[in-house]
Amino acid sequence: MKRKAMDDGQSSDSTQTQSPMLELRSAAPLNVDILEQIFLNLPPDQVVCLCRLVCHQWKEVADRQSFWRERCRRERYHLRDASKIPDDWRLFYFLNKKRRNLLTNTRGEDQLNGWEILRNGGDKWAVHGMRIPLPDATIRSNFVTSYGLCIKSQLIDLEKEGYKPSFMDHIQPDIRISDWYSRRPDCGSKYDICVELLNERKQILQTFKPDTVYPDKDDWRQMIHVFQNYGPGVRFIRFTHGGVDLRFWKGWYGIRLTDSCVEICPAITDM
């Protein structure tokens, strides 16, 4: 009797500690529309990594185009062009949800790693602390040019970053670039930037290359450009910038650069 009571107690404890996921799994199948409403209130990563693995019905709901289209609507990811409907709403959702800067080491936090140095004149590229703060006060460092021309570049492989050729060609999401630059108060300098959209052979399809900038003040300024309606074929983005001081002073009196950014923006987002 004592052993049976202990067994009964263990059985009771096991039942009480059963997870909600197991309880749902063992329950009778739910109507798919009801299940979709439940999934809409769960974190999206949990829907993909957990829920769709439970059973065929749950996978069917987690893979429904209507489900991910509704998530986009609820989170206000609106199409820029209503005639360009995504073939894969889940991909469209996550590319918006996980939108990020595709450049690396944009503030010199890892010295010059990740950048291809094209010109390294004078006393070469350096990384210094901020002379004056940016609007984003968390940024504490910047790249500095010297008395010889300094130019550096990064090449972004869009497919490796998750942007499939079919997605880029069909949706043609906005490509937003930005770059912060500043001069010293005691020495003039010049600033150049060139951003190129390239095809699979790395041939230029479209270029943003404004006239050389000669800042007249030592405050931080931001260069911004958005590529739109650039046509099919974009597979790489090459981001190049740099500059030099105008007095040929030894040391680092040239243009200062930080927080460069390249973002793919598939949707219009309401704030």
Side-chain angles (χ1 to χ4, degrees):
M1 291 295 292
K2 185 176 181 181
R3 184 178 186 84
K4 184 177 186 303
M6 290 177 62
D7 290 343
D8 290 343
Q10 290 173 352
S11 176
S12 176
D13 290 344
S14 175
T15 302
Q16 290 174 3
T17 58
Q18 189 175 26
S19 72
M21 185 69 75
L22 290 175
E23 289 177 3
L24 278 172
R25 186 173 181 177
S26 62
L30 295 172
N31 177 280
V32 291
D33 293 326
I34 295 175
L35 199 56
E36 181 172 301
Q37 291 301 313
I38 294 172
F39 285 5
L40 285 168
N41 290 285
L42 295 175
D45 291 336
Q46 190 175 97
V47 172
V48 173
C49 298
L50 295 177
C51 295
R52 74 185 298 274
L53 304 180
V54 170
C55 63
H56 290 298
Q57 185 195 40
W58 287 33
K59 181 179 183 300
E60 176 189 343
V61 173
D63 289 345
R64 291 173 84 177
Q65 293 290 307
S66 61
F67 171 75
W68 295 103
R69 185 170 62 245
E70 177 61 16
R71 287 205 83 119
C72 287
R73 188 193 69 79
R74 290 192 179 196
E75 297 184 35
R76 300 180 178 180
Y77 298 141
H78 302 309
L79 296 174
R80 295 184 179 277
D81 185 341
S83 68
K84 297 178 179 178
I85 306 299
D87 296 325
D88 186 340
W89 278 96
R90 180 170 64 186
L91 175 64
F92 182 79
Y93 172 82
F94 277 107
L95 289 179
N96 281 288
K97 188 75 171 178
K98 299 182 182 298
R99 173 177 157 182
R100 68 198 189 282
N101 188 356
L102 301 181
L103 294 173
T104 62
N105 188 27
T106 61
R107 307 168 183 180
E109 59 269 34
D110 195 18
Q111 293 302 305
L112 290 162
N113 290 326
W115 292 93
E116 180 184 1
I117 305 303
L118 304 180
R119 299 288 296 272
N120 212 10
D123 285 324
K124 303 181 179 181
W125 281 99
V127 176
H128 290 179
M130 306 291 284
R131 287 187 55 259
I132 53 177
L134 275 170
D136 182 353
T138 64
I139 299 173
R140 302 295 180 86
S141 59
N142 53 226
F143 299 99
V144 190
T145 61
S146 189
Y147 61 87
L149 187 61
C150 294
I151 301 174
K152 59 187 176 69
S153 179
Q154 281 193 41
L155 182 68
I156 298 168
D157 184 330
L158 291 171
E159 189 165 11
K160 285 185 178 179
E161 297 293 340
Y163 299 91
K164 297 179 180 179
S166 57
F167 179 86
M168 293 299 300
D169 291 348
H170 178 56
I171 301 297
Q172 290 185 40
D174 285 4
I175 300 173
R176 183 184 185 275
I177 67 99
S178 63
D179 200 25
W180 287 95
Y181 63 95
S182 175
R183 56 162 277 180
R184 285 180 58 100
D186 53 355
C187 183
S189 60
K190 71 174 186 177
Y191 162 69
D192 284 296
I193 183 172
C194 178
V195 184
E196 299 160 317
L197 306 185
L198 311 175
N199 65 15
E200 62 182 352
R201 297 182 179 179
K202 298 186 175 66
Q203 297 168 325
I204 299 172
L205 299 178
Q206 200 169 125
T207 302
F208 169 66
K209 192 178 188 304
D211 293 339
T212 297
V213 177
Y214 298 88
D216 56 359
K217 295 181 180 179
D218 64 336
D219 57 343
W220 284 102
R221 301 184 183 185
Q222 190 176 29
M223 180 69 72
I224 297 176
H225 178 73
V226 180
F227 290 98
Q228 295 179 313
N229 303 317
Y230 39 78
V234 175
R235 302 293 178 264
F236 299 90
I237 302 172
R238 182 186 290 129
F239 182 100
T240 306
H241 66 173
V244 65
D245 81 37
L246 297 179
R247 296 194 177 185
F248 207 69
W249 286 355
K250 182 173 177 56
W252 296 274
Y253 291 86
I255 203 74
R256 294 164 176 261
L257 305 169
T258 195
D259 204 30
S260 310
C261 186
V262 174
E263 287 182 298
I264 307 297
C265 311
I268 300 172
T269 305
D270 293 341
M271 300 303 292

